[in-house]
Amino acid sequence: MSPDQGSEGLQRNDGRALWALASSASEATDANLRVPIVFRQQPRPVEARHRVIYRSSVLTLVLGRFNQHAARLDNLHLLMWATRSSRTRRLLLAWWSGRRFLTTVTVKLDPGLDLTLRLARADGLVQTSGTNQQRLKLTDKGVRLFEKIEEDPALLAPEKEFLTQLGRVSDGAVDRHLGRDRP
Amino acid sequence: MRTWLRAIRLNVSTDEGQFGRTVSLAKGLNVLRGANSRGKTQLVQAVIYALGMERMLTARANAPLGSVFTTEIAVELAGGTERTYPTTSSWVAIELENSEGRIMTAQRFIKHPIIGRDLVRVWEDAALTGGFNSSGAQDLFLHNSGSATRSLGFHTRLQQFLGWSLPEVASVSGKPVLLYPDAVFPFLIVDQQSWGSAAPRKVERYQIKEPTKQGMQFLLALEGPAAQAERNRLELRVSELRGEWTSQRSAVRAICSTVAGRVAGVPENPAGFSDRAVSQPTDLASAKLEILQGEEWIDSDAVATGLNAELTELLQAQPPATAELRDHELTTELTEVRGELSEVLAATHLIESDVSLGEAQVAALDRRVTALSEERDRNADIRTLTRLGSEVDAEHLADHNCPTCRQSLDAVETQLLGPALDLEGTIQLLNAQTTTARRMRERASSALEQSSSGFAALQRHGDQLRTRIRALEADISGPQSQVSQGEVAHRVTLEIRRDELERVRSDFSSRLETMQEVANTLATTRQQLKGLPEGSPASDIEVLDAVTRLMRGHLRESGFGSYDVNELKLDASALRPTREGYDVDTDASASDVVRTKIAFLEAVRTVGAKGGNHPGLLILDEPRQQDIEGSDFGAILQYLARNAASTEGQVIVTSATAAVELERLLGPQFGSVQVLDFSSHRVLERLEVPDPLGV
């Protein structure tokens, strides 16, 4: 088959013609295909929720909204998980308001929280508190950052709106709303 | 209208008698001279209080006058001893005259067992300097809603007296609010606490956006703001018209869907919808209603004609000759109609899956757009958060390094991802993706709209065919003498359909007329908007230039030395004295700030009294601040006296400068200036006869 016939086949977009062209590759077409192929790794976007700055700021915001700026680790996991997307926010709000039965597992883990907490503690934004050092609490510096984040209503607006919908948040409130026994 | 103060009166009643003072003032420059803490400031405060302007000083409506008026008065007895008497009641009053020759006296109590502070007694004659006539008093209210708009509000009366009609200006939230007189009066009265800034006091309590600028625009009667107000009005009109168009369009679409039709030739947004030049309004002449017939959208005119023709044909049709022939015809027709129905059902089924696919696609794209915009907002937030991090010293937020080992945190974020885009790149990418998703959504939704109309039309057609089949079946099985049900049903359906179509067509055309009107008005309004002048009109620039020239002249005379006077400009947008790159309040010596303030306010007074709304009145409480040189203070007094005489206005200055020095400083102007000297006496002195204005 001549190359002319091949291109006609392509124009007709005929599958059989394509197969025919592929199976009877002449030397000429073979030569045409001998082009050096280079693979380059294109930079890819990182999701904002994986960015350290975003994570630390949301952590500060969530802790700041808790009563006395302090929360238990499991509750922190839950709320950090919930701020992730509109779906998770809706889900938690449904549990919170009692629209959805608590039959599913309401203990949620935010995989990156451990690292975020380590960075925030190293930077002096967060400290442990409570009798057994079981709770996490914002330091004065953390509170300053929290207040600055709160100043600009457009900053982290969806997260803020979500947390505002929960009303007053505290460890006790989470236990009550999600029907948990106190550990 | 020019207005000047004829007299001020203070009165304090105690059980031991009354104390008070009436100060008569004249046009031109008045200097109230007296030693320190004798009560000169009380006179200025009395004017502010009697005018109901104390809220320009503080947010709360406290009487700005001292404890003498509220608690007790100390009286010096012979032999140098002092005795205090508790104040039982107290009031202040002022007498004003305007250039029409009208006189108004306003009296307001500070302390009284019955009369409250939000009441002002007003006489339309000279109750202080002329004969007192107690019957002419009218009580007006103050500091309640409507005090500047209702006829019994004191500020309404005051505006009438000043010849003011205060404009509505933009509030902080963009809504229109009245420019309250309290926001304008800082240009007329300078109290002792406000000498720290070259600009007049800013009155923020009414939520007026840029109150000082608005006050200045009003006093100088600048035309720019009127154009701006017109622009705001037209923009509001445009947005109303846009709303009207959108609602009419969806109404038209709803009407058309009742006859399984669609609208063609009515654009989603007419010309002038967005802020672009409009050559001519959108023309709806080609707009039409189309109905789905078979697989084609046909103009409703043709459909109506077809329906009419079919009806006529039915009426004229001859009944079949024999029963066999009739049965045969019926059976053939039934087969045909059944065939048609199964075709229609198949098409409906196809198009239904199209619709549900389209709906799913639109919903998915909606979710995608939302998610993308949220992600973009988050990335934009990260920029702000980096700045906040550096403000509170949170290192890992500010420089993106680990606070312990100081290594970059890039690797933590990207882990297995390979090279990552930076923040700006990510935002750009997300923006591009959002745009693409939005376009896809638009296309998907218009395709969905088409399929939905088609689906509705086919369903309708199917229903009609079913009715026809039922009627034909009844005809075949029914007795032959009966009137053919099939024909009756067919005729009724056709008639209903025709009437329905006619109704919708007339509704459609009347709505199109409304929409055409909306489109025309929109285009005209857009053109009017384009025709409005951009920036300040030439006349405004002339007025502001005149103020600037005068202000510079005053500053040169009064020995301004911080920098070259020509560098001081009147900023066209803020309308206050500015020097490029500097803060005039802090980057000049304190005495030069005072010089600037007097020079500026006096220039506004002179220019505003000639061609604007300025009443020509300026009251300066102790302008000799910050050790201004005697000669410079003299120069200030001289230009104030000169201007006050030439503009037929009134300037009132309080000063503790010695009488002899004042005479020397005023030089040749001394003769034209009224100096009221209290020397070392207190302003309040014992009255032998009780004041007739007391209640």
Side-chain angles (χ1 to χ4, degrees):
Chain A
M1 187 187 281
S2 76
D4 281 338
Q5 277 170 325
S7 68
E8 265 172 35
L10 275 173
Q11 273 167 4
R12 284 209 311 276
N13 200 13
D14 189 339
R16 271 175 302 173
L18 272 173
W19 279 111
L21 180 70
S23 57
S24 66
S26 67
E27 274 179 33
T29 48
D30 200 28
N32 283 343
L33 284 173
R34 262 184 229 130
V35 183
I37 296 169
V38 182
F39 291 98
R40 282 199 195 85
Q41 213 169 12
Q42 286 288 325
R44 278 187 285 175
V46 182
E47 268 189 73
R49 65 186 175 92
H50 292 312
R51 297 244 185 212
V52 172
I53 303 175
Y54 174 80
R55 297 189 53 79
S56 299
S57 305
V58 173
L59 172 71
T60 313
L61 179 67
V62 168
L63 260 184
R65 289 290 183 104
F66 261 86
N67 189 21
Q68 300 191 330
H69 307 317
R72 276 201 323 265
L73 185 63
D74 57 332
N75 289 339
L76 211 49
H77 265 293
L78 175 74
L79 282 179
M80 288 294 284
W81 163 83
T83 51
R84 196 185 285 176
S85 68
S86 56
R87 190 187 65 86
T88 55
R89 289 198 292 261
R90 261 203 319 277
L91 201 57
L92 186 74
L93 279 174
W95 285 333
W96 195 264
S97 61
R99 284 197 308 273
R100 196 184 173 104
F101 287 120
L102 300 164
T103 47
T104 34
V105 180
T106 57
V107 176
K108 293 286 176 186
L109 285 180
D110 179 22
L113 182 62
D114 185 38
L115 183 70
T116 311
L117 276 174
R118 272 192 283 165
L119 284 171
R121 276 183 67 183
D123 216 344
L125 293 172
V126 170
Q127 67 195 29
T128 50
S129 77
T131 40
N132 297 321
Q133 306 294 308
Q134 288 289 306
R135 302 178 84 209
L136 292 142
K137 185 175 168 51
L138 283 186
T139 59
D140 291 345
K141 186 165 143 186
V143 173
R144 278 208 307 284
L145 178 62
F146 166 68
E147 281 164 358
K148 284 204 178 286
I149 293 173
E150 288 280 30
E151 260 173 34
D152 180 358
L155 189 64
L156 300 178
E159 290 83 356
K160 280 182 194 164
E161 196 196 331
F162 161 69
L163 291 169
T164 310
Q165 277 174 299
L166 296 181
R168 287 173 62 89
V169 198
S170 63
D171 284 339
V174 177
D175 291 340
R176 268 197 312 281
H177 282 278
L178 302 192
R180 285 188 188 157
D181 295 331
R182 277 181 179 277
Chain B
M1 204 184 312
R2 301 296 151 76
T3 303
W4 61 285
L5 261 174
R6 289 164 56 102
I8 311 168
R9 182 177 292 178
L10 313 177
N11 185 286
V12 173
S13 297
T14 67
D15 291 338
E16 302 294 320
Q18 290 190 354
F19 298 83
R21 164 90 71 172
T22 305
V23 178
S24 293
L25 300 158
K27 280 189 186 175
L29 177 63
N30 295 263
V31 181
L32 306 179
R33 204 214 77 77
N36 283 326
S37 64
R38 297 287 107 173
K40 299 183 301 292
T41 295
Q42 269 173 353
L43 285 167
V44 175
Q45 303 282 23
V47 176
I48 295 177
Y49 184 73
L51 288 168
M53 296 294 164
E54 68 274 16
R55 289 181 174 182
M56 78 181 216
L57 305 175
T58 54
R60 283 183 297 166
N62 278 346
L65 294 125
S67 57
V68 172
F69 287 84
T70 50
T71 23
E72 56 181 24
I73 178 166
V75 181
E76 275 175 49
L77 299 175
T81 52
E82 240 186 32
R83 234 198 107 180
T84 54
Y85 302 108
T87 306
T88 53
S89 77
S90 59
W91 51 265
V92 295
I94 53 166
E95 197 176 284
L96 295 162
E97 181 173 344
N98 67 15
S99 49
E100 281 178 353
R102 264 177 72 194
I103 296 174
M104 178 169 88
T105 307
Q107 179 197 26
R108 193 173 166 206
F109 282 84
I110 298 122
K111 185 173 184 180
H112 193 277
I114 302 163
I115 301 172
R117 286 181 179 178
D118 49 4
L119 211 66
V120 184
R121 296 173 81 205
V122 175
W123 289 264
E124 292 287 332
D125 53 21
L128 299 186
T129 57
F132 172 66
N133 171 16
S134 65
S135 64
Q138 194 183 6
D139 290 340
L140 301 178
F141 71 93
L142 197 62
H143 297 329
N144 276 311
S145 70
S147 64
T149 47
R150 293 211 207 125
S151 63
L152 283 182
F154 176 62
H155 282 164
T156 318
R157 184 65 62 86
L158 185 64
Q159 285 180 57
Q160 284 168 4
F161 190 81
L162 294 168
W164 283 2
S165 80
L166 288 167
E168 282 200 333
V169 293
S171 73
V172 182
S173 60
K175 287 183 194 146
V177 283
L178 185 76
L179 178 65
Y180 277 84
D182 317 30
V184 183
F185 263 79
F187 279 93
L188 273 52
I189 306 176
V190 181
D191 62 289
Q192 247 186 63
Q193 276 76 46
S194 65
W195 287 110
S197 161
R201 254 181 199 279
K202 198 172 168 189
V203 180
E204 280 168 337
R205 60 171 287 117
Y206 298 105
Q207 303 277 306
I208 297 169
K209 194 176 171 190
E210 302 175 290
T212 311
K213 181 181 173 181
Q214 306 281 9
M216 171 114 162
Q217 284 172 341
F218 171 71
L219 287 175
L220 296 175
L222 298 184
E223 285 164 11
Q228 184 58 42
E230 178 67 4
R231 178 176 294 275
N232 292 348
R233 194 186 65 79
L234 289 176
E235 268 167 9
L236 195 69
R237 180 96 188 98
V238 165
S239 93
E240 280 169 6
L241 287 167
R242 282 160 51 152
E244 171 82 11
W245 176 275
T246 314
S247 68
Q248 286 287 356
R249 185 170 180 268
S250 50
V252 164
R253 280 177 45 196
I255 293 166
C256 293
S257 70
T258 59
V259 287
R262 70 169 188 186
V263 188
V266 179
E268 191 169 348
N269 301 331
F273 207 80
S274 59
D275 186 12
R276 265 186 245 132
V278 181
S279 52
Q280 53 189 20
T282 299
D283 189 7
L284 294 179
S286 62
K288 56 190 173 195
L289 168 60
E290 291 178 337
I291 312 282
L292 190 69
Q293 281 209 335
E295 287 172 2
E296 227 181 314
W297 289 102
I298 294 173
D299 191 350
S300 62
D301 290 339
V303 176
T305 323
L307 277 174
N308 278 326
E310 204 174 336
L311 269 169
T312 327
E313 200 182 309
L314 265 181
L315 287 172
Q316 288 167 354
Q318 298 293 323
T322 61
E324 284 77 32
L325 203 59
R326 197 193 76 135
D327 278 353
H328 177 68
E329 264 182 21
L330 283 176
T331 322
T332 323
E333 198 181 348
L334 185 61
T335 323
E336 271 173 19
V337 175
R338 277 196 179 133
E340 198 181 343
L341 178 64
S342 54
E343 266 172 36
V344 166
L345 284 180
T348 314
H349 189 69
L350 270 179
I351 208 164
E352 188 180 9
S353 55
D354 255 14
V355 170
S356 43
L357 253 175
E359 275 169 356
Q361 198 180 5
V362 168
L365 284 167
D366 273 341
R367 279 199 301 276
R368 179 96 188 111
V369 169
T370 317
L372 278 171
S373 346
E374 188 173 311
E375 182 68 12
R376 189 198 45 206
D377 290 348
R378 277 186 180 173
N379 275 290
D381 283 348
I382 288 178
R383 258 194 300 213
T384 319
L385 290 167
T386 312
R387 180 173 56 76
L388 292 186
S390 66
E391 278 178 25
V392 297
D393 243 6
E395 287 166 36
H396 80 284
L397 299 188
D399 52 20
H400 205 243
N401 288 338
C402 168
T404 312
C405 67
R406 309 249 151 240
Q407 294 194 48
S408 170
L409 291 168
D410 284 345
V412 175
E413 288 175 347
T414 53
Q415 283 181 353
L416 303 169
L417 196 68
L421 268 180
D422 62 351
L423 202 57
E424 295 306 320
T426 310
I427 291 177
Q428 274 177 16
L429 180 74
L430 287 168
N431 277 336
Q433 284 183 348
T434 315
T435 318
T436 315
R438 284 230 167 88
R439 294 236 171 91
M440 284 168 69
R441 195 211 170 276
E442 269 170 37
R443 293 182 70 174
S445 97
S446 74
L448 174 62
E449 206 178 286
Q450 295 286 331
S451 322
S452 306
S453 335
F455 180 62
L458 282 174
Q459 266 187 325
R460 209 182 162 76
H461 192 45
D463 289 348
Q464 284 167 1
L465 290 175
R466 279 197 198 91
T467 319
R468 188 139 170 69
I469 289 171
R470 271 198 300 279
L472 286 170
E473 281 170 351
D475 279 349
I476 291 172
S477 56
Q480 290 179 1
S481 57
Q482 221 171 23
V483 182
S484 158
Q485 274 192 42
E487 264 169 33
V488 173
H490 191 45
R491 248 174 73 183
V492 169
T493 320
L494 282 179
E495 272 169 3
I496 289 175
R497 180 128 181 84
R498 185 193 58 186
D499 296 347
E500 208 176 42
L501 194 61
E502 282 311 312
R503 207 175 51 244
V504 166
R505 268 153 52 89
S506 85
D507 202 359
F508 179 76
S509 65
S510 78
R511 282 202 190 254
L512 271 193
E513 273 170 32
T514 321
M515 289 183 82
Q516 185 64 64
E517 267 170 40
V518 171
N520 294 347
T521 326
L522 186 59
T524 333
T525 316
R526 247 321 154 209
Q527 266 160 0
Q528 283 172 342
L529 259 175
K530 289 277 168 229
L532 284 178
E534 292 283 340
S536 309
S539 57
D540 285 3
I541 294 172
E542 255 172 53
V543 171
L544 294 178
D545 279 351
V547 173
T548 314
R549 270 198 310 278
L550 267 175
M551 178 177 74
R552 286 178 184 161
H554 295 157
L555 285 173
R556 272 189 213 101
E557 274 181 66
S558 56
F560 181 88
S562 289
Y563 39 81
D564 184 6
V565 169
N566 288 325
E567 286 184 30
L568 203 66
K569 288 191 297 194
L570 201 60
D571 184 61
S573 60
L575 293 183
R576 52 168 288 173
T578 43
R579 184 190 175 202
E580 205 145 318
Y582 290 82
D583 182 339
V584 282
D585 292 348
T586 54
D587 294 339
S589 71
S591 66
D592 274 348
V593 172
V594 175
R595 285 185 183 93
T596 313
K597 181 156 196 158
I598 302 172
F600 170 58
L601 291 182
E602 174 57 14
V604 172
R605 189 191 72 81
T606 314
V607 176
K610 273 180 193 153
N613 293 313
H614 203 298
L617 173 70
L618 182 62
I619 301 176
L620 305 172
D621 192 7
E622 192 56 273
R624 192 172 184 183
Q625 300 269 337
Q626 309 293 347
D627 293 328
I628 289 192
E629 294 285 323
S631 57
D632 294 342
F633 183 57
I636 291 174
L637 289 180
Q638 286 192 20
Y639 76 66
L640 288 175
R642 203 176 56 228
N643 291 348
S646 71
T647 54
E648 292 187 21
Q650 185 185 42
V651 179
I652 301 166
V653 171
T654 67
S655 176
T657 309
V660 191
E661 201 193 345
L662 262 181
E663 190 174 344
R664 187 178 60 78
L665 293 178
L666 279 162
Q669 302 277 359
F670 185 71
S672 66
V673 174
Q674 184 183 222
V675 179
L676 294 155
D677 192 353
F678 304 109
S679 65
S680 59
H681 300 292
R682 289 184 191 268
V683 167
L684 290 174
E685 55 184 12
R686 188 183 280 277
L687 300 177
E688 298 311 324
V689 188
D691 197 294
L693 265 73
V695 182

